[in-house]
């Protein structure tokens, strides 16, 4: 449903115009005032409204929380945060990123969902703007610009691991129900590869429209195929609707194992699902129930900052994104030269609310633990409780390409 922009269609005239505009902007930045040099501008292009507006709101809430906790001065530089809403439309993201570079002269960008990150990539590459990918879980995104660095996840990290778990726990025949966009396709591909390698069979792959999804007919079709396992990927924010329709079809009592990446038990939705998702097993990199002192503090601070909302896996992509930016600026002593700043980001490691993470110096992708979690009730509410840990997981698709 998302159209690719002109940069992928070979519109040479616009490309030339844009390159010229960027050259002028970069020259103007170099000749900036002393006051401007004492400020580091960070431009976030996020979906604050539209189909996946909730995800952008969660990232921004976490970014602001990080700044509230750590201040707005780093290495003697004032941090200025500029937030732009792309409305969940990738062409908007491209335009807003260009405006942030040319007009606002940002030193760093933050990118959101896959379609928007893809559309922003030529701008990041052409202007040499380090860009932190805070939501997109599609592997190929970091290949679109040499200045992209990811602090969220890839779906391949989780989907292959849950397939392996399902095979080891008696699954033989599966049906995949996937949101019809690039992240869904990637999640399904990783699951199918691992499930097949383990001796399992994916009977059918059902693709659900991303906008205004009605899961009921797809769930009915899946039930009619009589699988022992249902692999599901829906984006954050749709898990609640999926859970309701899953229960309405009686699939929660059918004996079919429901598995997927962590998105389907998004902490922000999970509290409202009642008993529907109890027993569901997922592979995910973050749970609000992660039992570390750092995470407990993060969950409490996020709830206080957002009026009681649970921290979720989308939020930590923003929180860790700001950590990466702050620590890189400390390493460079405030130097925002793009290549110097990017070099500081590569290979960086730290303890996150999700556990230990690092940036792969070769792929600029995140390396992190992936946890097998089961939804259980704790203090009267459902939580994704961690059962097993796969340590330091790299993106499998990038690894396979080496």
């Amino acid at each position: 449903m998302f159209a690719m922009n002109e940069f992928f269609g070979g519109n040479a005239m616009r490309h030339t115009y844009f390159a010229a505009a960027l050259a002028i902007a970069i020259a103007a930045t170099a000749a900036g005032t002393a006051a401007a040099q004492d400020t580091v501008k960070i431009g976030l292009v996020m979906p604050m409204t539209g189909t996946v507006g909730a995800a952008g709101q969660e990232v921004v809430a976490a970014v602001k929380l990080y700044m509230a906790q750590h201040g707005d001065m780093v290495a003697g530089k004032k941090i200025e945060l500029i937030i732009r809403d792309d409305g969940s439309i990738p062409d908007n993201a491209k335009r807003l990123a260009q405006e942030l570079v040319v007009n606002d002269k940002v030193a760093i960008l933050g990118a959101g969902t896959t379609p928007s990150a893809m559309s922003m990539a030529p701008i990041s590459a052409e202007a040499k703007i380090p860009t932190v990918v805070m939501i997109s879980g599609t592997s190929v995104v970091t290949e679109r610009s040499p200045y992209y660095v990811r602090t969220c996840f890839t779906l391949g990290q989780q989907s292959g691991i849950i397939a392996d778990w399902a095979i080891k726990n008696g699954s033989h025949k599966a049906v995949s129900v996937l949101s019809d966009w690039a992240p869904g396709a990637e999640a399904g591909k990783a699951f199918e590869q691992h499930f097949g390698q383990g001796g399992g069979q994916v009977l059918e792959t059902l693709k659900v429209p991303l906008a205004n999804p009605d899961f009921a007919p797809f769930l009915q079709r899946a039930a009619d195929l009589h699988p022992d396992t249902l692999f599901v990927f829906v984006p954050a924010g749709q898990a609640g609707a999926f859970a309701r329709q899953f229960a309405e079809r009686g699939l929660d009592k059918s004996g079919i194992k429901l598995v997927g990446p962590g998105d389907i038990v998004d902490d922000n939705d999970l509290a409202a699902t009642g008993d529907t998702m109890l027993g569901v097993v997922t592979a995910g990199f973050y749970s609000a129930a992660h039992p570390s002192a750092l995470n407990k503090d993060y969950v409490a601070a996020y709830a206080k900052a957002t009026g009681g909302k649970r921290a979720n896996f989308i939020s930590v992509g923003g929180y860790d994104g700001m950590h990466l930016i702050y620590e890189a600026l400390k390493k460079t002593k405030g130097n925002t030269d793009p290549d110097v700043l990017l070099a500081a980001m590569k290979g960086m490691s730290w303890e996150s609310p999700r556990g230990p993470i690092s940036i792969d110096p070769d792929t600029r992708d995140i390396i992190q633990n992936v946890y097998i979690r089961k939804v259980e009730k704790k203090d009267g509410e459902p939580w994704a409780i961690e059962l097993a840990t796969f340590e330091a997981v790299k993106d499998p698709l990038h690894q396979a390409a080496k």
Side-chain angles (χ1 to χ4, degrees):
M1 63 172 284
F2 296 102
M4 285 292 107
N5 58 70
E6 299 92 89
F7 288 105
F8 297 106
N11 191 321
M13 184 177 293
R14 290 198 179 193
H15 182 84
T16 302
Y17 173 82
F18 172 65
L22 281 178
I24 294 169
I26 292 167
T29 300
T33 64
Q37 291 169 1
D38 290 334
T39 299
V40 176
K41 293 183 179 181
I42 302 170
L44 300 188
V45 181
M46 292 291 155
M48 304 299 288
T49 56
T51 308
V52 287
Q57 294 167 24
E58 288 152 5
V59 163
V60 169
V63 165
K64 289 182 175 179
L65 172 61
Y66 189 91
M67 291 186 68
Q69 292 175 331
H70 296 85
D72 61 358
M73 293 291 295
V74 180
K77 299 293 182 77
K78 174 82 170 178
I79 303 298
E80 181 180 339
L81 184 67
I82 305 172
I83 300 166
R84 295 289 183 264
D85 175 19
D86 66 24
S88 303
I89 300 172
D91 281 348
N92 288 349
K94 178 193 68 177
R95 173 179 56 79
L96 291 168
Q98 182 172 335
E99 290 174 0
L100 285 165
V101 171
V102 175
N103 299 334
D104 295 293
K105 299 177 176 59
V106 298
I108 302 163
L109 284 168
T113 59
T114 295
S116 291
M118 295 282 275
S119 73
M120 291 169 59
I123 296 170
S124 168
E126 189 89 41
K128 297 185 177 181
I129 301 291
T131 301
V132 181
V133 180
M134 299 180 178
I135 301 178
S136 172
T138 304
S139 179
V140 72
V141 161
T142 50
E143 299 173 21
R144 291 295 186 258
S145 169
Y147 291 90
Y148 268 11
V149 180
R150 193 189 325 253
T151 58
C152 44
F153 63 99
T154 71
L155 283 155
Q157 287 175 316
Q158 304 167 86
S159 300
I161 285 174
I162 197 60
D164 296 339
W165 180 91
I167 289 291
K168 289 178 182 177
N169 286 270
S171 294
H172 302 286
K173 294 183 178 181
V175 171
S176 294
V177 178
L178 311 171
S179 289
D180 191 11
W181 65 329
E186 187 161 300
K189 178 181 179 181
F191 177 84
E192 185 169 347
Q193 285 178 343
H194 281 250
F195 200 70
Q197 288 167 1
Q201 179 186 4
V202 176
L203 303 174
E204 193 167 335
T205 297
L206 307 174
K207 297 182 179 181
V208 183
L210 179 64
N212 305 312
D214 179 8
F215 300 107
F218 299 95
L219 289 170
Q220 186 60 55
R221 171 60 181 162
D224 291 342
L225 291 168
H226 303 293
D228 53 48
T229 302
L230 190 62
F231 173 77
V232 177
F233 167 77
V234 295
Q238 294 185 3
F242 174 83
R244 286 191 299 273
Q245 294 182 35
F246 182 76
E248 287 167 1
R249 282 284 181 276
L251 296 181
D252 56 332
K253 299 179 179 63
S254 68
I256 298 174
K257 285 183 285 192
L258 176 60
V259 302
D263 308 56
I264 66 172
V265 292
D266 176 17
D267 282 291
N268 216 10
D269 294 328
L270 197 55
T273 60
D275 294 345
T276 306
M277 303 297 273
L278 293 181
V280 172
V281 178
T282 57
F285 63 91
Y286 176 75
S287 169
H290 180 64
S292 73
L294 182 61
N295 185 55
K296 289 175 182 177
D297 291 344
Y298 173 65
V299 170
Y302 187 87
K304 184 176 180 181
T306 59
K309 291 183 179 179
R310 266 195 210 178
N312 70 347
F313 74 99
I314 295 292
S315 72
V316 295
Y319 193 79
D320 286 325
M322 284 306 288
H323 181 90
L324 177 68
I325 292 168
Y326 271 46
E327 293 304 309
L329 286 169
K330 289 177 185 177
K331 283 179 68 175
T332 67
K333 296 180 171 55
N335 184 353
T336 57
D337 175 88
D339 293 306
V340 172
L341 198 57
L342 187 70
M345 292 179 176
K346 291 179 178 180
M348 189 176 290
S349 61
W350 67 97
E351 185 70 21
S352 159
R354 69 185 98 175
I357 62 176
S358 63
I359 302 300
D360 189 321
D362 297 322
T363 65
R364 292 163 282 108
D365 251 320
I366 191 164
I367 302 171
Q368 60 189 330
N369 291 349
V370 174
Y371 307 93
I372 297 292
R373 306 99 49 81
K374 184 177 182 180
V375 178
E376 299 176 356
K377 264 196 172 174
K378 176 183 171 185
D379 300 325
E381 291 188 346
W383 298 81
I385 305 298
E386 294 166 5
L387 305 177
T389 303
F390 293 78
E391 295 182 348
V393 178
K394 295 185 177 184
D395 173 56
L397 297 182
H398 277 137
Q399 294 305 301
K402 285 185 177 181

